[in-house]
Amino acid sequence: MKEPWPHALWIVRHGQSAGNVARDAAEAAGHALIDVEHRDIDVPLSPLGVEQSRALGRWFGALAPEQRPQVVLCSPYVRARDTARLVLEEARLRPGAEVRLRVDERLREKEFGILDRLTKLGIRQKYPELNEQRSHVGKFYFRPPGGESWCDVILRLRSLTEMMTREHGGERVLVVAHQVIVNCMRYLLENLDESQILGIDRLGDVPNCSVTSYALDAQARCLHLDLVNFVAPLLEAGAPVTAAKDIPAAPKP
């Protein structure tokens, strides 16, 4: 009988990006706009993000061959694709020969709409009514004009998890994506509710290149949580751990 879930599932946030660095600089300087020249999909890794990705790749490469990823599902955003590429390079896993690499648009970053590139100050100044509405509704349900709520992200991830059970049951799957994707995947896989996932979110940002993983419980035929925001591969390699918010950094409810 085919397994109903992947045998192992790792969910990784991309390495630190140039956008993370620009956002921190804008917030520290009290600017309303985050100075990023690229559209969000094209924002690259920072030099530190490259270092973090390579450190994580060495950790995967140190696993026994029968424990390494067989399938990589990746966001189409440059920072996620480059993270996946560097991880595979350092792990000495060749796409097509030793691992199947699939770029999937359902793993893209949450779309921020008209709030894109604005700092907390910028949102309050330019869209005070939206800022108030978001504080009242909460980030789980609030959808900025032209953007997505967490519920919208979860909706597209439901079809992704269904695809994983259908096409990758019993396999070892690595997902490389974004902070909101990590949290929304946890919401789905752990059968959480709004208050539970927002409680997790309030504990802090998902570190760049951290690993949240699940292992298959063959008897119960379900996944169980194994690691949460695991950063030991970075610490062991001496790569600084960062936990920067994605753009924009609207206030948490």
Side-chain angles (χ1 to χ4, degrees):
M1 180 183 298
K2 183 180 178 181
E3 298 292 356
W5 288 99
H7 180 76
L9 174 62
W10 301 273
I11 308 173
V12 170
R13 185 188 179 192
H14 60 78
Q16 185 195 59
S17 72
N20 297 145
V21 175
R23 173 220 161 261
D24 286 346
E27 291 283 1
H31 293 162
L33 189 66
I34 300 167
D35 184 15
V36 180
E37 62 176 310
H38 306 280
R39 60 179 185 155
D40 196 22
I41 191 172
D42 296 323
V43 170
L45 293 175
S46 69
L48 176 54
V50 171
E51 181 184 354
Q52 293 168 333
S53 302
R54 291 193 181 279
L56 181 58
R58 289 192 290 273
W59 180 77
F60 275 111
L63 298 177
E66 65 275 12
Q67 296 177 323
R68 297 172 190 164
Q70 298 169 293
V71 178
V72 177
L73 304 177
C74 182
S75 160
Y77 282 43
V78 168
R79 55 191 180 273
R81 296 178 70 167
D82 282 351
T83 297
R85 175 181 57 81
L86 292 167
V87 165
L88 294 181
E89 283 182 6
E90 290 295 322
R92 294 185 173 87
L93 291 170
R94 293 173 296 169
E98 297 168 305
V99 65
R100 282 167 286 160
L101 175 61
R102 177 174 182 172
V103 175
D104 196 306
E105 74 285 345
R106 291 171 293 187
L107 290 169
R108 69 188 184 274
E109 175 63 284
K110 174 182 174 291
E111 296 176 2
F112 299 108
I114 63 172
L115 302 184
D116 188 33
R117 300 176 64 210
L118 293 177
T119 62
K120 289 181 286 188
L121 176 63
I123 294 171
R124 290 197 301 268
Q125 288 182 341
K126 192 169 183 178
Y127 301 111
E129 292 183 358
L130 279 180
N131 185 62
E132 183 178 350
Q133 181 187 15
R134 182 189 180 282
S135 297
H136 175 69
V137 174
K139 67 165 62 177
F140 193 79
Y141 290 106
F142 175 72
R143 179 191 295 125
E148 294 179 297
S149 67
W150 277 36
C151 284
D152 295 321
V153 175
I154 289 166
L155 181 61
R156 52 178 156 98
L157 289 178
R158 286 192 184 279
S159 67
L160 181 98
T161 56
E162 290 170 0
M163 180 271 289
M164 282 198 301
T165 62
R166 184 175 64 250
E167 300 184 18
H168 302 301
E171 296 184 310
R172 300 181 299 277
V173 178
L174 168 62
V175 172
V176 182
H178 309 271
Q179 175 166 239
V180 171
I181 298 297
V182 175
N183 283 331
C184 289
M185 288 288 286
R186 289 196 64 182
Y187 172 89
L188 288 171
L189 296 173
E190 299 170 42
N191 195 29
L192 304 178
D193 59 25
E194 177 192 5
S195 63
Q196 289 172 318
I197 193 57
L198 291 184
I200 289 172
D201 179 64
R202 280 191 290 270
L203 293 176
D205 295 312
V206 176
N208 297 105
C209 274
S210 64
V211 179
T212 295
S213 67
Y214 298 83
L216 178 65
D217 184 333
Q219 186 171 7
R221 294 176 62 79
C222 66
L223 293 175
H224 68 81
L225 186 63
D226 186 26
L227 300 171
V228 177
N229 295 342
F230 181 66
V231 294
L234 306 187
L235 297 175
E236 291 170 1
V241 175
T242 54
K245 292 179 175 63
D246 293 316
I247 298 174
K252 292 183 177 182

